[in-house]
Amino acid sequence: MAQKKAVVLVSGGLDSTTVLAIARSEGYACYSMSFDYGQRHSSELLAAERTAKALGAVEHKVIKLDLRSIGGSALTDDAIDVPEEETGGIPVTYVPARNTVFLSIALGWAEVLGCDDIFIGVNAVDFSGYPDCRPEYIAAYEAMANLATRAGAEGNKLHIRTPLIHLSKAEIVQLGMALGVDYSLTVSCYQANDQGEACGKCDSCRLRKQGFVQAGIADPTRYQHA
């Protein structure tokens, strides 16, 4: 019997790397996918390649998109500063429609590969408040995916798998460690430098730091400043 396949969205960060480890532990042949979408730095893409290799992805694909051409986010417009203090509401690091765009391309690859499962590391507990990380969004997207594809129309139900969606960052770290994830390979920072060193100040860095502290695990992140 052929090994079941899954497309796994990987950003090079803590959450998506944990999801890749989970998919592998569940017996999937993992096809990982990253996006060069005009984000502030390429360090996360290099991290995604490292983690995909370390966790045994069958194939790692990098899709080039130009979300910088529409801007609207601190991650795709250099004129908008990345906040270094907590802000109210949906932060300016939210990239308009990003997960919808990413999932749509992953959905196409899943059809080509003939697999029924797409894994994504969205989280609705310790997160920045992005609307496309909520359970109701994922449920709506999965319903749409089954209406929009040949696979769905032919009765091959597609699943958007979100194993981290209800976990705290500390629980994610503990789970990843149990699965053998090397978090020193990952980059979560919104404004990491060319060496992949984190700023330690942005929202993503704060959540990541907090996760390691609460998990009682030494933080392997390399920071720009001691």
Side-chain angles (χ1 to χ4, degrees), residues 36-122:
D36 181 357
Y37 63 90
Q39 59 267 59
R40 279 180 173 260
H41 61 80
S42 59
S43 298
E44 66 178 42
L45 291 170
L46 297 175
E49 291 181 16
R50 288 195 301 268
T51 57
K53 182 177 181 179
L55 291 169
V58 176
E59 182 178 351
H60 178 66
K61 193 179 289 289
V62 180
I63 304 296
K64 192 167 181 61
L65 301 171
D66 185 15
L67 296 187
R68 187 168 281 268
S69 65
I70 62 171
S73 167
L75 302 191
T76 55
D77 185 343
D78 293 334
I80 304 173
D81 291 335
V82 172
E84 294 188 348
E85 294 181 1
E86 192 169 346
T87 58
I90 297 169
V92 294
T93 50
Y94 163 68
V95 179
R98 180 173 60 179
N99 281 347
T100 302
V101 172
F102 290 0
L103 280 170
S104 295
I105 295 172
L107 180 61
W109 198 25
E111 278 212 281
V112 170
L113 292 170
C115 66
D116 302 333
D117 296 279
I118 298 170
F119 283 77
I120 182 171
V122 294

Side-chain angles (χ1 to χ4, degrees), residues 24-220:
R24 184 186 68 169
S25 75
E26 293 182 3
Y28 286 92
C30 296
Y31 292 77
S32 57
M33 176 176 274
S34 296
F35 295 89
D36 181 357
Y37 63 90
Q39 59 267 59
R40 279 180 173 260
H41 61 80
S42 59
S43 298
E44 66 178 42
L45 291 170
L46 297 175
E49 291 181 16
R50 288 195 301 268
T51 57
K53 182 177 181 179
L55 291 169
V58 176
E59 182 178 351
H60 178 66
K61 193 179 289 289
V62 180
I63 304 296
K64 192 167 181 61
L65 301 171
D66 185 15
L67 296 187
R68 187 168 281 268
S69 65
I70 62 171
S73 167
L75 302 191
T76 55
D77 185 343
D78 293 334
I80 304 173
D81 291 335
V82 172
E84 294 188 348
E85 294 181 1
E86 192 169 346
T87 58
I90 297 169
V92 294
T93 50
Y94 163 68
V95 179
R98 180 173 60 179
N99 281 347
T100 302
V101 172
F102 290 0
L103 280 170
S104 295
I105 295 172
L107 180 61
W109 198 25
E111 278 212 281
V112 170
L113 292 170
C115 66
D116 302 333
D117 296 279
I118 298 170
F119 283 77
I120 182 171
V122 294
N123 178 263
V125 180
D126 288 336
F127 78 130
S128 299
Y130 299 158
D132 55 1
C133 289
R134 296 175 295 170
E136 53 266 44
Y137 163 75
I138 295 297
Y141 192 94
E142 182 175 284
M144 182 280 297
N146 280 288
L147 291 170
T149 55
R150 181 172 66 188
E154 292 177 349
N156 228 14
K157 184 168 174 56
L158 296 156
H159 304 278
I160 308 299
R161 301 283 305 279
T162 57
L164 309 184
I165 201 160
H166 297 300
L167 300 183
S168 70
K169 195 68 75 178
E171 289 171 329
I172 293 168
V173 168
Q174 290 168 338
L175 177 56
M177 293 296 290
L179 293 173
V181 173
D182 180 357
Y183 285 118
S184 71
L185 300 177
T186 67
V187 174
S188 299
C189 180
Y190 291 145
Q191 47 189 358
N193 62 21
D194 290 343
Q195 290 73 48
E197 295 170 332
C199 73
K201 300 175 182 177
C202 69
D203 204 26
S204 185
C205 279
R206 289 196 302 272
L207 288 169
R208 179 178 169 122
K209 278 184 177 180
Q210 175 184 295
F212 280 105
V213 169
Q214 293 180 346
I217 293 169
D219 183 356

